[in-house]
């Protein structure tokens, strides 16, 4: 039998290969060390599994700090596992043939490549998540831009209505509402808005009457007979007067003439209702609660403003009217146009009862002598002769109001007047 050194020499000479020594005796003679090593490996694998679970958990919800901490933990456990592998190899080398390249070096390279692949997968995953977050950020930026545009548009509308002040500029929204001061100027601006709403609804109403073949002269005369109009086109004020009379009926009552249970009638509740509806689409609000007090108001006023014969001539049937009477609010263009008017009058009523004392409404009867204090003519270029008697009211187009010690004039059409061409 040849000694081990002679065997090594023989192998080198016969195969031109280099063989590492195999000191297995130490590990074989110490089974406790083997068991300890195996135990460490299992412990390390369990820790690696736990670290990877933490890394996955950190992504839902996305938490960059937890991801970074879990990533470090995974890398640490991988390093520990690699160190155990190196420890075992150093103490238990196997015969490794070194031909053109060292197999141990190849194993090291393979290990590093495996780690590199693991990191590449993680990097790609992180890059994908970063792209998703960038996309979410872009979407949020677009939403912010849209919100800013809507805010700018809203502020512009408030400025046009005289409801926007520098004090409110850039202020936060309180309780979901923009800050609004309860002032006579605010009420005056909504009187103007309501007057415009009456005019805006009368236009499609008159056009539909024309299209349906109505005799507009006879219709105007039936509303208020024997009014002497300076121009035929002025007969539109008769229809505006009819709309106004019907919409403002019951305005002086806190309930607006509506029967409803469990009504809270306080100054604060009136103002909160005003704020709640002010920026809402009336149809959206009615969709949420069609039988609300506002819904009952809209339903009742529509049925008195639009006569059944008129509606039948417009649409060829009474389906829309029956739908309203049944408790619905149709999404037709005509009804939506009416809801804009109803909203304006309702807001004015809520606002009038927010003041202490409440704003009082007054109407002007036909035949009343014109008063520049309490009345304002809707036609401006009138010819008044000092020798003639004072002009008389032919139609009231918009009521007047007492607010505190001030008067908001009623809008009237004067009968029998001449206008400057």
């Amino acid at each position: 039998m040849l000694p081990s050194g002679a065997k090594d020499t023989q192998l080198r000479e016969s195969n031109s290969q280099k063989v590492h020594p195999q000191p297995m005796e130490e590990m074989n003679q110490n089974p406790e060390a083997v068991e300890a090593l195996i135990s460490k490996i299992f412990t390390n694998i369990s820790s690696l599994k736990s670290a990877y679970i933490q890394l996955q958990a950190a992504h839902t919800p996305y938490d960059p700090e937890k991801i970074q901490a879990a990533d470090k933990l995974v890398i640490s456990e991988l390093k520990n596992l690699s160190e155990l592998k190196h420890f075992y190899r150093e103490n238990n080398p196997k015969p490794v043939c070194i031909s053109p390249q060292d197999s141990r070096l190849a194993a090291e390279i393979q290990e590093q490549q495996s780690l590199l692949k693991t990191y590449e997968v993680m990097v790609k995953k992180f890059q994908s998540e970063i792209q998703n977050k960038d996309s979410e950020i872009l979407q949020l930026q677009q939403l912010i831009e849209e919100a800013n545009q809507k805010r700018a548009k809203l502020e512009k509308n408030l400025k046009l209505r005289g409801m926007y002040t520098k004090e409110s500029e850039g202020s936060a929204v309180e309780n979901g509402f923009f800050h609004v001061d309860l002032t006579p100027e605010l009420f005056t601006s909504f009187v103007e808005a309501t007057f415009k709403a009456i005019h805006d609804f009368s236009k499609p109403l008159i056009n539909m009457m024309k299209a349906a073949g109505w005799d507009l002269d006879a219709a105007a005369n039936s509303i208020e007979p024997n009014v002497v109009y300076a121009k035929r086109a002025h007969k539109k004020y008769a229809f505006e007067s009819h709309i106004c009379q019907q919409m403002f009926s019951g305005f002086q009552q806190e309930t607006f003439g509506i029967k409803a249970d469990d009504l809270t009638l306080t100054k604060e509740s009136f103002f909160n209702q005003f704020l709640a509806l002010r920026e809402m689409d009336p149809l959206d609000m009615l969709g949420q609660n069609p039988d609300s007090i506002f819904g009952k108001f809209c339903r009742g006023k529509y049925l008195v403003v639009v006569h059944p014969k008129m509606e039948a001539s417009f649409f060829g049937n009474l389906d829309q009217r029956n739908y309203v009477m049944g408790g619905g609010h149709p999404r037709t263009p005509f009804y939506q146009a009416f809801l804009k008017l109803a909203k304006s009058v309702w807001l004015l009523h809520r606002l009038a009862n927010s003041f202490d004392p409440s704003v009082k409404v007054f109407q002007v009867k036909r035949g009343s002598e014109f008063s520049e204090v309490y009345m304002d003519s809707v036609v401006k270029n009138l010819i008044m002769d000092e020798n003639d008697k004072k002009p008389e009211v032919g139609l009231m187009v918009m009521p007047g109001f007492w607010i505190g010690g001030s008067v908001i004039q009623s809008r009237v059409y004067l009968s029998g007047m001449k206008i400057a061409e």
Side-chain angles (χ1 to χ4, degrees):
M1 178 178 291
L2 295 172
S4 61
K7 286 184 179 181
D8 291 345
T9 305
Q10 186 180 29
L11 286 171
R12 281 196 298 271
E13 291 175 349
S14 61
N15 299 320
S16 299
Q17 291 181 339
K18 189 175 184 179
V19 179
H20 289 278
Q22 305 179 40
M24 294 291 294
E25 292 79 4
E26 181 179 350
M27 294 297 291
N28 291 334
Q29 293 175 0
N30 191 0
E32 291 83 3
V34 176
E35 291 179 2
L37 178 62
I38 293 173
S39 177
K40 286 182 180 180
I41 291 173
F42 280 113
T43 302
N44 182 253
I45 291 173
S46 297
S47 299
L48 179 60
K49 182 179 178 181
S50 175
Y52 183 69
I53 291 172
Q54 291 180 43
L55 181 62
Q56 288 183 315
H59 287 77
T60 310
Y62 187 83
D63 190 329
E65 293 183 0
K66 288 185 179 180
I67 289 174
Q68 188 176 9
D71 181 46
K72 289 181 179 179
L73 191 56
V74 169
I75 293 172
S76 175
E77 296 300 336
L78 286 172
K79 286 182 178 179
N80 290 339
L81 189 60
S82 179
E83 288 173 1
L84 288 173
K85 181 178 178 182
H86 285 304
F87 174 80
Y88 179 78
R89 284 182 174 176
E90 288 173 359
N91 290 277
N92 298 274
K94 291 183 179 181
V96 178
C97 294
I98 299 180
S99 48
Q101 70 184 113
D102 192 303
S103 61
R104 177 172 289 189
L105 179 60
E108 290 285 348
I109 292 172
Q110 186 177 4
E111 180 182 352
Q112 296 302 321
Q113 286 177 339
S114 298
L115 287 173
L116 183 60
K117 286 181 181 179
T118 302
Y119 292 142
E120 284 177 351
V121 171
M122 294 176 66
V123 167
K124 287 180 180 179
K125 185 177 180 180
F126 291 151
Q127 285 177 339
S128 177
E129 290 174 354
I130 290 170
Q131 289 176 354
N132 291 336
K133 293 301 175 183
D134 288 342
S135 178
E136 290 179 10
I137 290 170
L138 183 61
Q139 290 177 357
L140 290 173
Q141 287 175 339
Q142 291 174 347
L143 290 174
I144 291 171
E145 180 65 24
E146 291 175 3
N148 287 336
Q149 291 176 357
K150 290 181 180 179
R151 179 177 176 271
K153 186 177 180 181
L154 177 60
E155 288 177 356
K156 182 179 179 181
N157 291 336
L158 292 176
K159 287 178 181 178
L160 291 174
R161 297 178 186 179
M163 297 164 55
Y164 185 83
T165 61
K166 287 187 176 181
E167 287 76 10
S168 64
E169 188 171 355
S171 63
V173 178
E174 297 178 5
N175 299 322
F177 307 129
F178 282 101
H179 175 71
V180 176
D181 290 327
L182 186 61
T183 62
E185 291 75 19
L186 174 65
F187 185 80
T188 301
S189 69
F190 270 85
V191 170
E192 295 295 328
T194 305
F195 178 62
K196 183 178 182 299
I198 292 173
H199 173 73
D200 290 346
F201 180 70
S202 70
K203 290 175 69 176
L205 187 70
I206 293 170
N207 290 335
M208 293 178 75
M209 291 177 70
K210 286 181 181 178
W214 280 69
D215 185 340
L216 296 182
D217 294 331
N221 190 60
S222 67
I223 292 171
E224 198 66 69
N226 303 321
V227 175
V228 181
Y229 297 95
K231 293 174 66 176
R232 187 169 182 268
H234 289 176
K235 292 185 178 181
K236 67 179 182 180
Y237 293 116
F239 299 100
E240 292 184 16
S241 176
H242 167 72
I243 294 170
C244 172
Q245 295 281 359
Q246 298 300 332
M247 293 302 297
F248 277 90
S249 176
F251 188 92
Q252 69 280 2
Q253 303 172 26
E254 285 189 332
T255 61
F256 217 145
I258 303 167
K259 293 182 180 180
D261 299 329
D262 301 326
L263 281 180
T264 304
L265 302 177
T266 64
K267 301 300 178 186
E268 184 179 1
S269 67
F270 276 116
F271 194 56
N272 286 338
Q273 290 176 43
F274 164 78
L275 293 174
L277 180 60
R278 188 168 61 110
E279 298 301 334
M280 282 192 69
D281 184 295
L283 197 58
D284 290 342
M285 187 168 188
L286 293 175
Q288 297 173 10
N289 189 0
D291 292 320
S292 64
I293 184 171
F294 176 62
K296 293 178 180 178
F297 169 78
C298 294
R299 187 178 299 125
K301 292 300 183 182
Y302 177 83
L303 296 176
V304 296
V305 169
V306 183
H307 195 276
K309 290 183 179 180
M310 185 183 293
E311 186 171 333
S313 68
F314 291 167
F315 309 115
N317 55 59
L318 295 176
D319 291 350
Q320 180 166 278
R321 189 177 196 84
N322 293 333
Y323 185 73
V324 173
M325 291 176 67
H329 298 280
R331 291 184 173 272
T332 61
F334 184 71
Y335 192 75
Q336 289 187 57
F338 169 77
L339 287 182
K340 291 180 181 179
L341 166 64
K343 175 186 173 181
S344 293
V345 177
W346 181 259
L347 287 176
L348 193 66
H349 180 266
R350 302 291 98 176
L351 196 55
N353 287 281
S354 299
F355 287 86
D356 190 14
S358 298
V359 176
K360 300 298 181 183
V361 62
F362 68 87
Q363 300 189 25
V364 179
K365 294 182 180 180
R366 182 188 170 185
S368 300
E369 189 177 277
F370 178 70
S371 168
E372 294 183 353
V373 176
Y374 295 101
M375 306 173 203
D376 181 31
S377 173
V378 291
V379 179
K380 300 302 179 184
N381 53 340
L382 297 175
I383 299 175
M384 293 189 181
D385 193 334
E386 294 181 357
N387 297 324
D388 294 341
K389 66 175 184 177
K390 287 191 175 182
E392 294 181 353
V393 174
L395 299 165
M396 185 195 73
V397 183
M398 181 76 182
F401 302 91
W402 282 295
I403 178 168
S406 303
V407 174
I408 298 176
Q409 295 169 310
S410 170
R411 309 290 177 90
V412 298
Y413 182 84
L414 301 178
S415 179
M417 297 296 297
K418 296 180 180 180
I419 60 173
E421 298 296 339

